[in-house]
């Protein structure tokens, strides 16, 4: 199963073995920018430029609660265990949300520059945030204790 954003700004969920979408979700955002799955594929997570991260129940085929982040949220990363989400909570701040508790559990101030990419490391021990000023900041996850800051000409990274 894959989730993707169509040209009409709807979120589409499709089975890889079929040629058409199984489900079309109309987003409240004018643009859906980031899409993810909880590990058990029970929920699709998507965020756009309206400052919200939305959850869709794939079993019941209905929307769940949403998290309000910053005024123009575009980026989030979902931990591999599906228990935590990190998002841009407002300009230059990141927040970690416990999805089990339904609340923000830690925040940190990042760079003053615009966030370009956000990732949780493969072992779920670090958060990496890259900014448009070529700064890469690294924190422990989920505590957000700062580990180090790098400056690079890198335009992308992977965890």
């Amino acid at each position: 199963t894959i989730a993707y954003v169509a040209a009409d700004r709807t979120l589409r969920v499709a089975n890889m073995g079929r040629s058409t979408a199984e489900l079309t979700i109309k987003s409240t955002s004018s643009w859906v920018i980031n899409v993810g799955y909880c590990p058990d594929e029970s929920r699709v997570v998507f965020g756009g430029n309206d400052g919200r991260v939305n959850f869709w129940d794939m079993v019941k085929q209905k929307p769940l609660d949403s998290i309000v982040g910053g005024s123009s949220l575009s980026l989030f990363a979902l931990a591999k265990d599906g228990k935590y989400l990190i998002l841009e909570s407002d300009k230059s701040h990141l927040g970690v949300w416990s999805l089990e508790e339904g609340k923000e559990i830690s925040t940190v101030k990042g760079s003053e520059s615009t966030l370009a990419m956000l990732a949780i490391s493969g072992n779920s021990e670090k958060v990496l945030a890259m900014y448009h000023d070529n700064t890469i900041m690294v924190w422990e996850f989920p505590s957000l204790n700062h580990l180090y800051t790098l400056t690079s000409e890198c335009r992308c990274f992977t965890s």
Side-chain angles (χ1 to χ4, degrees), residues 22-133:
E22 294 179 350
L23 177 65
T24 300
I25 302 168
K26 176 100 172 104
S27 172
T28 57
S29 302
S30 58
W31 286 104
V32 174
I33 297 172
N34 204 352
V35 179
Y37 266 110
C38 288
D40 63 2
E41 295 190 7
S42 65
R43 293 178 288 176
V44 172
V45 184
F46 58 99
N49 61 356
D50 67 348
R52 293 182 178 276
V53 174
N54 302 288
F55 296 86
W56 183 271
D57 187 315
M58 292 297 294
V59 176
K60 296 179 181 173
Q61 301 282 308
K62 68 177 194 172
L64 300 169
D65 291 336
S66 60
I67 295 172
V68 178
S71 60
S72 62
L73 173 78
S74 58
L75 298 174
F76 67 84
L78 187 63
K80 292 193 185 315
D81 64 7
K83 295 179 181 178
Y84 298 98
L85 180 90
I86 185 162
L87 58 89
E88 185 177 18
S89 60
D90 64 31
K91 175 128 176 77
S92 78
H93 285 82
L94 301 176
V96 174
W97 282 74
S98 166
L99 299 182
E100 292 177 333
E101 297 175 44
K103 66 179 185 178
E104 191 172 52
I105 59 170
S106 55
T107 60
V108 69
K109 183 172 175 27
S111 171
E112 291 295 327
S113 182
T114 304
L115 186 63
M117 296 182 83
L118 187 61
I120 299 171
S121 65
N123 62 7
S124 295
E125 293 179 0
K126 294 178 180 65
V127 169
L128 299 90
M130 188 172 83
Y131 296 86
H132 284 286
D133 66 357

